[in-house]
Amino acid sequence: MRPEILVPAKKCSLGCPVLDQYLAGGVPCGSITELSGESGSGKTQIALQLLLSAQLPLSLGGLASSSLYLHSEPPYPFRRFEQLSKAFYLSYPQLFDSVQCVRNNVLVQELDSADHLFDVVFKLDSALAKESRKTMPIKVLVIDSIAALFRSEFDNNPFDLKRRANLFFKISSTLKFVAKKYGVAVLVTNQVVDVMRSGDLNGLRIGNYDSLYSSGRRVCPALGISWANCVNSRLFLSMNEEVVGNVAGEGDDNTLCRRTKEGNACCFCTTFA
């Protein structure tokens, strides 16, 4: 029996050289990558950059493809996307006819519930089969965010937790199937929750949680172990407050105000089989 030859997965650039180097090229195709972090840490920014980078040729770190953006936290970041798409076009004017062409290659679908996400994911196979015959097929799928759909709809009781876990497994198994079949890079953003006690989370260890801190708080990705078993790779964004100086307060010479600067850093990446 001949041994199976492992072919390195194609990767799509995140539009940030530092993160691309950290990830050895970008987000891999054929699997699910989770990006977690607290509000304001830059998850949506990175997701939008990935959606745009997908349009670049392979030689420039892209996939020569269009992308699909499923967003669940209104409002849709229209202004930020407009700014990023314009900057993206100005960086590669020789590749696109206009800024509008760049924007048209990003398809957008709003999600209003976990069941709606399941319906959309269930139809992906047939939709991607049609897209595969186009010049710019969909090769990047972003769900922003998974936690917003599940944290608000399910209560903390055995029945709801079981139903939620079943939805996790159905959605993730379908995403993995279409990702591998069509060579799609799937990026899912997730929120974080505070860890209230030391030691392993609920007696279970998922990755290096002891090192996850953001804004001075110990945190971990939301949705628990059921969702943790559904992704292939996990990325974590931390947000740190840095004091850059003191300025005198207005109207009171004796008052000093701290001026701070927020900084983002990718702390760790864990890959599961």
Side-chain angles (χ1 to χ4, degrees), residues 14 42-50 80 84 144:
L14 284 165
K43 301 187 299 296
T44 297
Q45 175 85 11
I46 291 175
L48 293 176
Q49 291 178 185
L50 177 68
R80 199 182 324 176
L84 287 173
D144 184 22

Side-chain angles (χ1 to χ4, degrees), residues 75-96:
Y76 170 69
F78 179 78
R79 184 177 179 183
R80 199 182 324 176
F81 178 68
E82 292 277 293
Q83 294 169 340
L84 287 173
S85 58
K86 183 177 181 180
F88 180 79
Y89 169 72
L90 293 176
S91 298
Y92 305 98
Q94 70 280 10
L95 299 179
F96 307 99

Side-chain angles (χ1 to χ4, degrees), residues 93-105:
Q94 70 280 10
L95 299 179
F96 307 99
D97 294 332
S98 65
V99 181
Q100 194 57 45
C101 290
V102 171
R103 294 167 182 162
N104 289 343
N105 288 327

